[in-house]
Every structure is written in structure tokens, then in C-alpha cells.
């Protein structure tokens, strides 16, 4: 089996597994997995910019929140139904990521980190400033009645799980497709040595722009879906910790691998969940786990897997 | 850790408990010894306690925890609820809305809790309540936020143990305008909590014939305030302040440095100084100023027996500090909400003959039917009136004056002072 | 308040912020510049400085000045020791790889915060200033008899705040002297310029790294000890300093200590002064965007050089 076929089988297999789990998982883990899949989609978006293109952004919460508020505000103030609202969220994501990309891509490395961080902070403060419409840090609820998409009630656990799964499947497969095509391979090359890629005649700016827009849009869509599925839109999702989370999930799971983001999100979620059952100092356990993991599994969980066993893993 | 294994046993016991509960429906009238007869064979009532153990709410979370444990101990000593002991299952939500919603799910689906309870910070309540509504888990918040009564939430979310900020703020306006001054400048944090104060108080002051000269909104997490003070108009008669967060001591100190000896009257909310000793260095400037208190922290001359009993049970002394550590000041103006909410839960479960998760809807209806809550051991903060339609309770508010580092109560509002027109009728929504 | 006095007041307040920010940022700049790693736990070292200062002042009775003076010495040293330990046990093993260091320092952040929460608790506690007298500041205006001094209402500062500014300046001069006039400073600068060459010259780079990491943490802790009588010690207080010191270091230009100091002054003052003109939240939005735009058009920062 060729490498492409194998990856397709593996990733398709994961989606099939997630589909099958829906029927056997107990309620609690069923609900968790729905959340994890949406958040993993956010991480997949982040990974495209960070893991593949090598640009470390500290402001992705801006995109996540942009999608979430694009969706939420149109429902709340313009009376949109879920489907147009999701589109609104996606479009907001495209606009914001394109706008930020045009500015931020003039920098790289640490300056890029700070520029993205600054714009994300400004975004967070703007949400607070326009509190009259956004309800600021408290946020607002999207009532159950407003979350009915084409007759399907999204607050029902089964429907919610499927919606999350569909989002995740699309993002995962899109990412897989992207990295196996020339565009994706150029991104990896840019990550390794941008100078050389430019000398070879590629337009590196266009590639980075494309990567950032794709990354931002996927993150925004995840934000819009998260708000819609779980019924709450709030400024805390635009705060700096929601920019650190995808970085953490991707690094833990394996940056530059397609599966990494999902593994990382799953791992961190259950690490916190299990340790909070054992002790009130669960963040201590999380901290120690991070240190240990980074000492002994530097490429992240999936990255190590790729390095030691399955070299064909995309 | 309880996985869903408990559900198997409860189904077989449920029938037995139902008949017992039916007989014990008038449990309030049964003598103490009789309540224990079924205790050993009864499954505990599991209350999922969503506590802010970490994050910015941590200082409050600690005291909410202690008050909750004390209330549960008292309830269990009295035979529990419907002959079943109460068990608290606590989970930290990190004062984060996303985690809060996850914790609510954990209560309902993994721990098999009967109800959820205890959330304080508004944004966490708003983030978590939708999930409670979807899971049909009765969710008793102790938040002071106006979000419940505003109609934003759902029929399963209730706030029967603590009054909300709209009623608190509104009730202050008459006293302030009559005794302190009619020209007010407001200083508040620039987020939802501060905006609530800004909106409700400005409205109420206008009604009393006063006027708010300036609104000074301070960005969240600001650590130094002097640069904002020049915006306070010179003609200000009363400075109204509700700064919260770790920087509050700085705020007061810098206010003192700015105004010096010629300050306007000052009216603040004790929210600013919860868990902070009134005689801390730097707070001398507050002498002679006024505060809203949810429940007077320092023992007053007219202390009721109920307040005395409550302090002993929770472990706070006459200054509102922990009896084991006098430097550990409690969040006295808020934590009573946990005590009272748990007693409301007990009363409602007994009225409804609550036997298990199948009776959750009946439990909500039983709470909605409650109205007068007299001043008692169950309600040590004072008498209350519950509005079943808005799911919000109303009660007395207290105003104190700082005298020599002590808070002396100078005014008690009537409960009627705190009323405002209903904004929602949850009873019209389906359960 | 009239415009002139208001600006003066905002500037004074900004100067205090800038002073502490300069110390914290210089600490980060050293670490960033010499070791080329992002230390996300830098803010937690700041917080530890404040918490240890409280603890020291608490344990020593007597006049606040005694406790404070002790804290001024003990806290930075204690925090530096913790940082050196962290460097030798964790960062060294990671080979100072930038990405792995980020994850490890995030883990360290969680660990430090949680341990502080478990021991010191969630409350914000004050530390008394060693001296704290209110000083009214005069302003001049043109009266009938020419220029006269008068004391505008509300225009003042405290002796302690002025002392903070002075102390920070003194420490920064000390750091500059250390870097430019001592052998240790020479070794640090050499390692910063070219690590491999430094190794070739038998400079114990790993020891230098440990020293730098400790020094950076110690400076942040010192800044915290200075600010703690004005603010309070709280277990979450490290977040803002982390954010701000990163901005300052990048804006000032990587590897440029004077740049860092100037950027700290610029950012500390601008925060105060912009809020004179605009509503505070709007002011913060504008300040944040301004910082972002400076970098967009001058990615090397104000004083950095255009290198890798």
C-alpha cells in the first residue's frame, strides 16, 4: 500500500472509529468527545500555520472568537438562523485572518508572535468595549430554540456529536489533502528554509498568506461551531489562554502531523479531567506532565510515533 | 470516583425509596429519631458542587466550600433530606465558562448527581447554565448576577439563596441620595459586573432626583488607578466605587493619596473588600465611608441568634475571620448564599417528595412554589421573598459605616425597596 | 484637573510602571538575548518575588522598613535560585530547543502557580511600604505677578513611588555596569553574540546560561518586591508582567538592553498618558494596536538590528 493510501486508511479509520464510538460510549464521554472534536478542529487549524508552515502565532484566539462572535452576533442581533450564522462565522474568519495576515506576515519569528498576540489582545478588549452588543466578558446564551439547524436540534447529544464529527472530519481530511499536495509540501519547505524556497522561485509570501487564511478560517469555523453546539458565546474565548491552548495541544500531540492536534487535545482534556478527580491540585499534575512529556517525547506523541515507527505518517 | 455503576443499584432501590419517601413526605413533622431509620439503607442525595478552586474566583471558592460543608453537616445531623444523607461532589471549574459547562456534564452524566449548585462568577454561570438546562439538571447558582432574573437562562437554573445585583444596587439609591449627596460619580470595572452597577444605579439615582456626574470605567486587570482619578468632577458629593479584584487595596490607597483629607462622601460595595480585613494597613482612608453589605461581617449590637449559630457552624469569629486563623477573612457578604440555597433545596426536596433524578422537574416546581422565607437558621442573612416566575430571591440589604476599622450597620432596607418589575416568567417554559 | 498637571500626574504614574517594567523586561531580555529561549514562566518568577517578599516581611516583625529591606535581598536571591534549579534540571536537558522550552515553561508556569495557590493561598495580601508620605506637587501658572507656583488639587505622589523610580534606575545602571565593565558581563555578551565561538574559547556556556537565567529571574523578582507595597501580592499577578515584558523586549529590539529600557519607558508612560485622552479600555486597545503596528513596520524593534 502506498503511503498516501495508508494515510487515507489511517485517517479515514479514525473518523470511522469516532463514528462507531457514538453508539457505545457512555453519556459522559460521549459529550466530552463532541467537545474534543470541535476543539481538535481548532488545533488542526493552528497546526497548519505552526506545525507545517513554522509560524508560531500567539493570537489564534482572535480567529476562534471571530468565528464564534460572527455566528453569535448574527443570531442574537440580526435574527439569523444557524446555517447562515455559521456562514457568517466562516466569512468573519476569512476576513479577519486575511486582514491580520497582510499585516503580520511582514514579520517573522518572535516579532510575528508578538504582533499576533497584540492583535488578539486588541480583539479581546474590543469585545469588551462593545459590551452593549457583545455583553462583554459575561457573554450571552444562544437559546436552545435558536440552535435548530434544518430541523435538527443541535442541543441533542447525538445530533451534537454528529455535527462535531462532521466538522472534525472535514478539517482533518482537508488538512491531510493540503499537506500531501504541492502547496502543503511547499509550506514544509518554507518552514525548514524560507530563503532557499524563495530562491527556487516560489512566492513564499503568497504561500504564507494562504496558509494563514486557511488556518484562521478553520479556527474560526471551529469557534462558530463551538458556540452553536454548546450555546454560549463569551469573551473568555478571546483571551490569551485560548491562544496558548492550541499551541499546547499541537505541541503535545505532535506539531506537523495531521493526527497530532487531535491526540494532543484528547490527551490534555483527559489529563485534566482524571487528575481533577484525584486531587484539587490537578494543574500541578498537568504542569508536571507537560515538563515530563517535553523532556522525553520532544516531537509530541504522534511525532514520536512517526519518528520511531511509522515514518510515512503525514 | 463514581462511574455509572451507581445507576444500576439506584434503579432497584428507587421503588423502595419512593414508597418510603411517600410516607416521609411530611418529613418536617417527623421526630428526629424517625429520620434515621431509613438513613443506612438509603442512597445519598448527591449534590454536584461547582466550586472556583483555582482562577480569579479562588478566594471566594474557598469560603463557599467551607460554608457548604458546614451546611451539609448540619442537614445531615438533622437526618438528611427525606431520610437520605447529603453527599457533596465537588469539582473545580477554574472560574472558566468552558470548564464550567464540562463540569456540569460531569455532574449529570458521570457522578450521577441529583442537582448542580454553587457557581458564583457570572460568566461561568452563563457559560454553564445552558448545559444544565439541556441535561435537565436543576442548577442552583449562588452568583448575585442579574442573569437569572433577566430571562437569559433556562427553567432549570434558579437562584433562591442570594439576591441579585440589580435589586441590591437599586435599594441603595434612596439612602445615598438622602444621606450622602445627590451628585454622584461612579468608578467601576469595565466589565459586565461594573456595567450592571453603572446601569442600575444611574437609573435608580435619577428616580430619586439625583444625578450621576461621571462614569469612570476602569479596564479589567488594571493595577494602578491614580491616573483615572483626575476625571472625577470637583462637584462630586458622593464617590460610588465597586472595584473588585486583587488591586482593590491599591485602589483605596491611591484614592487616599489623591484626595487627601478633603474627600467626598464615599459609598462602596463590600464586594471590593471580601476576604480583606477592614483594618489592613492602607485602608484607614475608608474610615467614615459607607458600604453595602450583603450580610454584616462584623457582629452588630442587634445580632440575631441565627447569625450567632451560623457563625459558629461555619467557623468565623465576630470579625468575620476564620476562628483558626484570624488573618483569614471570610467572604461573609456572599457565602451565606450557599447555606441558604442548600436549605432551600432541602425544603423543596421534602415538599416534592424527591426520590431521585426522575423527580427533578417536580423539584423545580416545588422551588418555584416557594414564596416567603422567614429569618431563621436556614436563612440567617434575613427574611426573603422568592419570585417563582423569575427564579430569583429578594431580601434585605444592609448599609454599614466604617468606624475605626469596624463595620457598623446604619441602615437596613425593606425587602420591597429591592423589588423591580419581572422581566421573565420561566414557569411558562416547558420543563 | 487642568491639562498640564494631569499630564504630569499621568507621567509620574507611568514612570513607576515603567521602572518596574524595565527591571522585569531587562531580566527577560537577558534570557531571551543570551539563551534565545522564550520563558513563559517569567511572569511567575515575578509573582514569586512578590509572594516571598510578603512572606519575609510577615516573618520579620518590627518596623516595615526592616522586613522590606530583608525582602529586597532575600526574595530576588531565592527566586534566582529556583530559576537556576529549573534551568539545570529541565532547560538544559531540552538543549534549549525553542519549542520544547515553550512547552516546558508552560508546565513550569502551571506548577509554580498551583504550588503558590496551595501554600500562599488565593488572597491578595499587602506588604507595608518602608516609608510612604504623600507629597503634593506644585505646578506653575501665569498669575498677575508673573509665573507662580500653586498646588493643584489631587496632584501628588508618594515618597515611596519616587523611591521605586530611583531604585530601578540604580539597579539598571548596576546591570549595565555588570554587562559592560565586568568579566562576567563580557562572557555573557560573548555567549549572546556567538555561542559556538564562545564554546571554542572554553567559555562554560551551560554555566553562563544558568547564571543568566537566574539573573533574569532575580531581576523580575526585584521589580516585584519594589512594586508589592503599591500593589498586592496575588498568585495570578504574573500574567500582565509577562505580556508587557515580552512586548517591551521585542519592541526595544532583541539583544539590546538600552532598547529594552527605552521601550519600557515608552510603554509605561504611553499607557498612562493615552488614558488622559481616551476612555481607559479604548486607550488600552489603541496602545495594544500601536505596539503591534510598530512591529509590523519595524520588525526588528526600535533599536534592534536586522539579523536572524
Amino acid at each position: 500500500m502506498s503511503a498516501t493510501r495508508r494515510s487515507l486508511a489511517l485517517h479515514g479509520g479514525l473518523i470511522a472509529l469516532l463514528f462507531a464510538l457514538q453508539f457505545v460510549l457512555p453519556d459522559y464521554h460521549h459529550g466530552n468527545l463532541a467537545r474534543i472534536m470541535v476543539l481538535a478542529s481548532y488545533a488542526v487549524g493552528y497546526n497548519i500555520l505552526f506545525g507545517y508552515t513554522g509560524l508560531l502565532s500567539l493570537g489564534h484566539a482572535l480567529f476562534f472568537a471571530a468565528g464564534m462572535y460572527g455566528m453569535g452576533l448574527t443570531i442574537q442581533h440580526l435574527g439569523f438562523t444557524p446555517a447562515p450564522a455559521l456562514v457568517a462565522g466562516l466569512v468573519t474568519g476569512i476576513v479577519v485572518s486575511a486582514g491580520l495576515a497582510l499585516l503580520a506576515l511582514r514579520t517573522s519569528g518572535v516579532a510575528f508572535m508578538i504582533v499576533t498576540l497584540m492583535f488578539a489582545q486588541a480583539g479581546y478588549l474590543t469585545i469588551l468595549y462593545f459590551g452593549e452588543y457583545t455583553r462583554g466578558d459575561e457573554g450571552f446564551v444562544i437559546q436552545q430554540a435558536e440552535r435548530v439547524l434544518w430541523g435538527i436540534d443541535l442541543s441533542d447529544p447525538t445530533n451534537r456529536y454528529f455535527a462535531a464529527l462532521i466538522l472534525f472530519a472535514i478539517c482533518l481530511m482537508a488538512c491531510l489533502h493540503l499537506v500531501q499536495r504541492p502547496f502543503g509540501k511547499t509550506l514544509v519547505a518554507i518552514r525548514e528554509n524560507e530563503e532557499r524556497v524563495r530562491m527556487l522561485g516560489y512566492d513564499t509570501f503568497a504561500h504564507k498568506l494562504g496558509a494563514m487564511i486557511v488556518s484562521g478560517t478553520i479556527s474560526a469555523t471551529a469557534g462558530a461551531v463551538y458556540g452553536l453546539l454548546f450555546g454560549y458565546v463569551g469573551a473568555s474565548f478571546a483571551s490569551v489562554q485560548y491562544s496558548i491552548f492550541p499551541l499546547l495541544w499541537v505541541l503535545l500531540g505532535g506539531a506537523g502531523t495531521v493526527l497530532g492536534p487531535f491526540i494532543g487535545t484528547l490527551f490534555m482534556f483527559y489529563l485534566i479531567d482524571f487528575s481533577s478527580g484525584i486531587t484539587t491540585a490537578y494543574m500541578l499534575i498537568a504542569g508536571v506532565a507537560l515538563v515530563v512529556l517535553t523532556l522525553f517525547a520532544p516531537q509530541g506523541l504522534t511525532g514520536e510515533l512517526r519518528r520511531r515507527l511509522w515514518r510515512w505518517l503525514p | 470516583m463514581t462511574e455509572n455503576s451507581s445507576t444500576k443499584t439506584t434503579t432497584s432501590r428507587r421503588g423502595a425509596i419512593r414508597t418510603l419517601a411517600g410516607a416521609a413526605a411530611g418529613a418536617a413533622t417527623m421526630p428526629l429519631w424517625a429520620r434515621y431509620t431509613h438513613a443506612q439503607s438509603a442512597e445519598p442525595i448527591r449534590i454536584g458542587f461547582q466550586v472556583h478552586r483555582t482562577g480569579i474566583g479562588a478566594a471566594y471558592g474557598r469560603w463557599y466550600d467551607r460554608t457548604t460543608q458546614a451546611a451539609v453537616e448540619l442537614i445531615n445531623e438533622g437526618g438528611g433530606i427525606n431520610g437520605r444523607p447529603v453527599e457533596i461532589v465537588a469539582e473545580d471549574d477554574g472560574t472558566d465558562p468552558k470548564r464550567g459547562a464540562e463540569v456540569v456534564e460531569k455532574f449529570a452524566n458521570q457522578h450521577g448527581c441529583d442537582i448542580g449548585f454553587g457557581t458564583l462568577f457570572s460568566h461561568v454561570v452563563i457559560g454553564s447554565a445552558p448545559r444544565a438546562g439541556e441535561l435537565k439538571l436543576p442548577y442552583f447558582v449562588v452568583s448575585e448576577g442579574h442573569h437569572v432574573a433577566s430571562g437569559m437562562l433556562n427553567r432549570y437554573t434558579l437562584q433562591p439563596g442570594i439576591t441579585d445585583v440589580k435589586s441590591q444596587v437599586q435599594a441603595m439609591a434612596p439612602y445615598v441620595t438622602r444621606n450622602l449627596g445627590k451628585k454622584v460619580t461612579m468608578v467601576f470595572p469595565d466589565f459586565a459586573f461594573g456595567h450592571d452597577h453603572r446601569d442600575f444605579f444611574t437609573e435608580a439615582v435619577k428616580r430619586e432626583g439625583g444625578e450621576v456626574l461621571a462614569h469612570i470605567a476602569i479596564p479589567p486587570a488594571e493595577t494602578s488607578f491614580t491616573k483615572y482619578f483626575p476625571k472625577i468632577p470637583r462637584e462630586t458629593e458622593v464617590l460610588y466605587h465597586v472595584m473588585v479584584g486583587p488591586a482593590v487595596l491599591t485602589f483605596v490607597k491611591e484614592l487616599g493619596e489623591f484626595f487627601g483629607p478633603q474627600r467626598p462622601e464615599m459609598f462602596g460595595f463590600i464586594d471590593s473588600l471580601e476576604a480583606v480585613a477592614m483594618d489592613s494597613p492602607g485602608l484607614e482612608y475608608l474610615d467614615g465611608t459607607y458600604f453595602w453589605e450583603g450580610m454584616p461581617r462584623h457582629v452588630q449590637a442587634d445580632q440575631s441568634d441565627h447569625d450567632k449559630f451560623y457563625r459558629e457552624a461555619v467557623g468565623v469569629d465576630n470579625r468575620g475571620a476564620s476562628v483558626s486563623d484570624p488573618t483569614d477573612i471570610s467572604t461573609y457578604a456572599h457565602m451565606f448564599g450557599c447555606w441558604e440555597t442548600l436549605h432551600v433545596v432541602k425544603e423543596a426536596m421534602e415538599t416534592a417528595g424527591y426520590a431521585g433524578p426522575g423527580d427533578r422537574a417536580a423539584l423545580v416546581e416545588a422551588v418555584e412554589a416557594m414564596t416567603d422565607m422567614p429569618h431563621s437558621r436556614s436563612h440567617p442573612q434575613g427574611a426573603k421573598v422568592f419570585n417563582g416566575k423569575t427564579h430569583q430571591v429578594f431580601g434585605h440589604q444592609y448599609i454599614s459605616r466604617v468606624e475605626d476599622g469596624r463595620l457598623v450597620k446604619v441602615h437596613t432596607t425593606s425587602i420591597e425597596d429591592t423589588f423591580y418589575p419581572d422581566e421573565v416568567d420561566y414557569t411558562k417554559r416547558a420543563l | 484637573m487642568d491639562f498640564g498637571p494631569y499630564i504630569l500626574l499621568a507621567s509620574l504614574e507611568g514612570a513607576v510602571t515603567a521602572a518596574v517594567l524595565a527591571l522585569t523586561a531587562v531580566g527577560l531580555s537577558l534570557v531571551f538575548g543570551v539563551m534565545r529561549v522564550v520563558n513563559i514562566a517569567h511572569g511567575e518568577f515575578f509573582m514569586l518575588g512578590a509572594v516571598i517578599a510578603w512572606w519575609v516581611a510577615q516573618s520579620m516583625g518590627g518596623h516595615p522598613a526592616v522586613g522590606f529591606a530583608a525582602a529586597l535581598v532575600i526574595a530576588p536571591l531565592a527566586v534566582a535560585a529556583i530559576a537556576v534549579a529549573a534551568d539545570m534540571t529541565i532547560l538544559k536537558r531540552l538543549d534549549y530547543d525553542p519549542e520544547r522550552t515553550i512547552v516546558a515553561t508552560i508546565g513550569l508556569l502551571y506548577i509554580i502557580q498551583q504550588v503558590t495557590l496551595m501554600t500562599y493561598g488565593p488572597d491578595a495580601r499587602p506588604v507595608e511600604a518602608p516609608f510612604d508620605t504623600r507629597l503634593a506637587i506644585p505646578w506653575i501658572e501665569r498669575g498677575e505677578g508673573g509665573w507662580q507656583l500653586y498646588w493643584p488639587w489631587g496632584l501628588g505622589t508618594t515618597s515611596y513611588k519616587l523611591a521605586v523610580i530611583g531604585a530601578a534606575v540604580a539597579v539598571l545602571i548596576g546591570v549595565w555596569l555588570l554587562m559592560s565593565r565586568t568579566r562576567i558581563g563580557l562572557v555573557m555578551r560573548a555567549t549572546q553574540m556567538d555561542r559556538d565561538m564562545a564554546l571554542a574559547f572554553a567559555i562554560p556556556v551551560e554555566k553562563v546560561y544558568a547564571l543568566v537565567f537566574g539573573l533574569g529571574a532575580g531581576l523580575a523578582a526585584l521589580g516585584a518586591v519594589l512594586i508589592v507595597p503599591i500593589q498586592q501580592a496575588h498568585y495570578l499577578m504574573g500574567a500582565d508582567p509577562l505580556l508587557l515584558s515580552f512586548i517591551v523586549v521585542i519592541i526595544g529590539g532583541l539583544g539590546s538592553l538600552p532598547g529594552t529600557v527605552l521601550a519600557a519607558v515608552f510603554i509605561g508612560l504611553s499607557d498612562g498618558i493615552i488614558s488622559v485622552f481616551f476612555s481607559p479600555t479604548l486607550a488600552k486597545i489603541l496602545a495594544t494596536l500601536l505596539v503591534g503596528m510598530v512591529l509590523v513596520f519595524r520588525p526588528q524593534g526600535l533599536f534592534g538590528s536586522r539579523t536572524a
Side-chain angles (χ1 to χ4, degrees), chain A:
Chain A
M1 233 210 267
S2 71
T4 357
R5 279 250 184 92
R6 249 186 286 177
S7 359
L8 205 62
L10 179 66
H11 294 82
L14 173 66
I15 297 186
L17 175 67
L18 289 171
F19 180 85
L21 279 176
Q22 124 85 8
F23 302 105
V24 294
L25 278 179
D27 284 342
Y28 178 54
H29 300 291
H30 185 263
N32 288 344
L33 212 49
R35 273 181 213 278
I36 290 172
M37 285 193 286
V38 180
L39 294 173
S41 310
Y42 177 28
V44 165
Y46 186 80
N47 193 26
I48 290 179
L49 192 64
F50 172 58
Y52 287 99
T53 321
L55 288 169
L56 201 164
S57 140
L58 281 181
H60 256 60
L62 179 67
F63 305 132
F64 190 80
M68 187 182 257
Y69 276 89
M71 181 277 306
L73 289 174
T74 49
I75 291 187
Q76 189 82 334
H77 297 291
L78 300 177
F80 276 29
T81 56
L86 279 177
V87 173
L90 190 128
V91 169
T92 317
I94 296 178
V95 169
V96 171
S97 46
L100 184 60
L102 288 170
L103 285 172
L105 286 175
R106 297 173 58 116
T107 68
S108 63
V110 290
F112 181 79
M113 268 168 49
I114 301 293
V115 172
T116 49
L117 179 64
M118 288 295 98
F119 278 93
Q121 269 299 93
Y124 171 71
L125 290 169
T126 309
I127 294 175
L128 295 184
Y129 186 68
F130 289 107
E132 209 188 310
Y133 303 103
T134 65
R135 287 210 51 91
D137 57 302
E138 259 191 9
F140 55 91
V141 170
I142 304 183
Q143 304 293 346
Q144 252 177 286
E146 292 163 324
R147 288 150 56 203
V148 180
L149 179 66
W150 302 319
I152 307 172
D153 182 7
L154 289 173
S155 46
D156 170 79
T158 316
N159 297 339
R160 181 172 16 223
Y161 188 94
F162 276 123
L165 181 58
I166 290 172
L167 172 74
F168 179 64
I170 294 176
C171 293
L172 191 73
M173 289 324 219
C175 184
L176 183 63
H177 179 72
L178 183 80
V179 305
Q180 291 179 324
R181 299 206 67 224
F183 184 79
K185 300 203 193 233
T186 318
L187 291 180
V188 175
I190 292 177
R191 178 187 78 203
E192 297 301 317
N193 193 328
E194 189 175 339
E195 280 291 305
R196 193 186 294 166
V197 176
R198 205 178 308 140
M199 280 206 304
L200 286 170
Y202 288 89
D203 184 351
T204 53
F205 181 77
H207 278 82
K208 290 198 289 189
L209 182 68
M212 195 152 174
I213 295 180
V214 170
S215 170
T217 309
I218 293 183
S219 304
T221 313
V225 171
Y226 195 89
L228 190 63
L229 290 184
F230 297 101
Y232 171 69
V233 174
S236 57
F237 290 105
S239 66
V240 81
Q241 62 166 340
Y242 281 86
S243 290
I244 303 278
F245 282 154
L247 170 65
L248 205 58
W249 296 331
V250 165
L251 278 174
L252 265 183
T257 64
V258 177
L259 283 178
F262 176 74
I263 304 287
T265 314
L266 183 72
F267 179 78
M268 270 309 279
F269 185 95
Y270 275 104
L271 178 68
I272 290 184
D273 205 38
F274 278 141
S275 28
S276 66
I278 308 176
T279 167
T280 58
Y282 60 89
M283 283 320 279
L284 187 60
I285 297 189
V288 171
L290 284 178
V291 172
V292 165
L293 262 167
T294 200
L295 277 174
F296 301 110
Q299 300 273 359
L301 296 164
T302 319
E304 287 296 309
L305 203 60
R306 175 165 67 183
R307 194 163 68 95
R308 292 167 201 264
L309 293 173
W310 293 339
R311 295 190 182 269
W312 48 267
L313 210 57

Side-chain angles (χ1 to χ4, degrees), chain B residues 16-225:
Chain B
I17 290 184
R18 264 244 161 80
T19 38
L20 293 173
T29 59
M30 289 190 83
L32 205 66
W33 62 267
R35 295 185 194 165
Y36 275 113
T37 47
H38 310 299
Q40 262 126 358
S41 57
E43 268 280 300
I45 297 223
R46 282 202 186 84
I47 297 186
F49 179 29
Q50 183 175 343
V51 54
H52 303 318
R53 281 237 168 82
T54 56
I56 43 170
Y60 283 87
R62 226 157 40 117
W63 281 100
Y64 267 38
D65 192 11
R66 290 178 193 171
T67 312
T68 301
Q69 303 298 340
V72 166
E73 214 180 287
L74 183 69
I75 292 178
N76 282 339
E77 270 168 25
I81 300 180
N82 291 337
R84 298 165 62 185
V86 175
E87 183 192 314
I88 293 284
V89 178
E91 284 281 351
D92 177 19
D93 65 6
T95 326
D96 174 51
K98 167 174 112 35
R99 186 71 194 140
E102 291 166 10
V103 156
V104 166
E105 251 180 71
K106 208 167 174 183
F107 287 150
N109 289 338
Q110 197 185 43
H111 293 306
C113 294
D114 294 277
I115 63 169
F117 143 84
T119 325
L120 165 60
F121 272 63
S122 291
H123 64 308
V124 183
V125 170
I126 300 177
S128 318
R131 202 67 194 104
E134 289 166 13
L135 290 163
K136 300 203 192 296
L137 180 77
Y139 191 50
F140 293 85
V141 299
V142 188
S143 150
E144 239 189 15
H146 179 56
H147 33 67
V148 176
S150 69
M152 201 202 295
L153 305 180
N154 52 70
R155 195 165 174 194
Y156 279 88
T157 306
L158 308 120
Q159 187 156 257
I162 194 168
T163 60
D164 80 336
V165 62
K166 183 165 182 170
S167 66
Q168 292 164 7
V169 169
Q170 179 182 289
M172 299 294 101
Y175 185 87
V176 170
T177 46
R178 279 170 221 164
N179 297 291
L180 302 180
K182 290 206 182 323
K183 297 197 167 65
V184 185
T185 295
M186 299 182 70
V187 178
F188 52 89
D190 201 4
F191 45 52
F193 170 74
H195 297 166
D196 279 346
H197 275 263
R198 173 195 64 194
D199 299 334
F200 301 141
F201 192 72
T202 308
E203 225 179 276
V205 157
K206 234 185 277 190
R207 277 203 297 268
E208 298 292 325
E211 161 191 17
V212 175
L213 300 175
H215 289 128
I216 301 178
I218 307 218
E222 181 63 81
T223 46
S224 116
F225 305 91

Side-chain angles (χ1 to χ4, degrees), chain C residues 96 169 181 212 271 282 298 302:
Chain C
Y96 303 102
V169 169
R181 301 263 191 272
V212 165
D271 191 41
L282 186 60
R298 222 188 129 77
L302 293 172

